[in-house]
Amino acid sequence: MKKFLSVLLVALFAVPAIAQDKPAVSEEPNVIKVNTLSLLVGTGSVFYERKLSDNMSGQLGVAYLSYKIGDSKFSGLILTPEARFYPKQNAIDGFYLAPYVRYQNFSLENTESNDKGTYTNFGGGLLFGRQWITNSGFTMDLFFGGHYSKGSVDVESGTDSFDVGKFEGFGLRVGFAIGFAF
């Protein structure tokens, strides 16, 4: 994990911008992208980012999770709104800081005991990232940051036998999204 984070940090700060002969401030006000790393944990996530000013954009992430921990199966919706601040006034193409909140609502099922329920979780954190947009509009977004969340289980049938520990407390949020600007 340390090696992966080291490579991520080097790529974030050392990789030169891909776009050549492009204005310092991107002309495209919108970006649609997919987080490729979230697919590794059974989550499909799509982001829409909109430039609001020279140094700020807003982004909304929508995801669907289908994940199993032990005998507990989670499936449901994740919403992640965030504000992105680009200190060099180059929104939506450059280095950014992004505070965010996250809402998660999952259906739960214990495959061994047939317990069923719902899990609701709220959290938030701060991301550091770098987004590149090429002349053709191809977009790459590399980000990482910290996250904290807390949730509650509502048992519909059976008992509370669900392992929600991986979704609560402090954690890491890492991603690499690709898409296009328009």
Side-chain angles (χ1 to χ4, degrees):
M1 185 63 157
K2 283 184 180 181
K3 198 178 247 187
F4 175 74
L5 289 176
S6 298
V7 170
L8 186 65
L9 284 171
V10 168
L12 184 63
F13 294 106
V15 174
I18 292 173
Q20 300 284 329
D21 302 323
K22 190 171 182 181
V25 178
S26 296
E27 297 174 11
E28 300 87 353
N30 302 293
V31 177
I32 293 280
K33 51 199 165 183
V34 175
N35 185 359
T36 60
L37 291 182
S38 68
L39 296 172
L40 298 174
V41 291
T43 304
S45 62
V46 177
F47 302 105
Y48 169 71
E49 183 177 2
R50 170 89 178 154
K51 181 177 178 177
L52 302 174
S53 69
D54 285 344
N55 64 348
M56 187 175 172
S57 71
Q59 178 170 283
L60 178 63
V62 178
Y64 180 79
L65 172 93
S66 181
Y67 191 70
K68 189 172 181 180
I69 302 171
D71 294 328
S72 298
K73 182 181 177 189
F74 296 76
S75 59
L77 183 68
I78 303 168
L79 298 174
T80 310
E82 63 187 62
R84 290 185 166 198
F85 300 98
Y86 291 82
K88 293 191 175 186
Q89 297 189 355
N90 54 348
I92 55 181
D93 183 7
F95 173 77
Y96 62 85
L97 299 170
Y100 67 92
V101 295
R102 176 173 276 177
Y103 168 76
Q104 301 177 89
N105 188 4
F106 303 132
S107 295
L108 303 175
E109 183 180 342
N110 186 308
T111 55
E112 186 174 298
S113 62
N114 289 328
D115 298 337
K116 293 184 179 180
T118 58
Y119 176 64
T120 304
N121 181 308
F122 288 97
L126 179 66
L127 292 179
F128 301 91
R130 175 69 165 93
Q131 183 161 269
W132 296 270
I133 301 176
T134 65
N135 288 333
S136 66
F138 178 73
T139 303
M140 294 181 296
D141 183 6
L142 183 63
F143 59 87
F144 71 98
H147 179 82
Y148 179 80
S149 64
K150 185 74 176 151
S152 64
V153 174
D154 182 24
V155 177
E156 295 170 5
S157 67
T159 61
D160 184 356
S161 61
F162 306 106
D163 181 8
V164 297
K166 292 212 184 253
F167 295 96
E168 295 191 347
F170 289 99
L172 204 56
R173 183 175 170 208
V174 179
F176 179 67
I178 57 173
F180 65 93
F182 59 98

